Amino acid sequence: MKLTQELEGKKVRIIDIDGEKFEGVVTDYFYPEDNEPEGISGIALEDCPQRPGQWLGFNEDEIKSIEVIK
């Protein structure tokens, strides 16, 4: 799954590589060069009903699918 900075501010539905589903707002995009030690892009997700009050981070290789939802 290819992540881009265009996802910032959008509400998304993510299915991770373990099959878990998450919904929330992408609050930040991490460029590969800034995401150490992984070296791959990532995103931060907030307002996720599956993990209330938590900030979630996903690296590109942890996401099976992502879609923007209304």
Side-chain angles (χ1 to χ4, degrees), residues 1-2 6 8 10 15 19 22 24-26 28 31 37-38 47 49 52 57 61 63 65 67:
M1 180 71 236
K2 189 72 175 162
E6 294 174 7
E8 282 186 323
K10 303 238 174 27
I15 299 176
F22 302 91
V25 177
V26 177
D28 205 0
Y31 289 96
E38 292 85 358
D47 297 328
D61 64 350
I63 298 174
S65 71
E67 67 176 300

Side-chain angles (χ1 to χ4, degrees), residues 11-47:
K11 186 171 183 177
V12 297
R13 179 177 299 125
I14 292 174
I15 299 176
D16 72 9
I17 57 173
D18 295 326
E20 287 189 78
K21 296 178 185 177
F22 302 91
E23 289 184 7
V25 177
V26 177
T27 58
D28 205 0
Y29 169 79
F30 306 108
Y31 289 96
E33 57 270 18
D34 296 331
N35 192 8
E36 294 296 330
E38 292 85 358
I40 56 176
S41 61
I43 57 172
L45 196 66
E46 288 186 333
D47 297 328

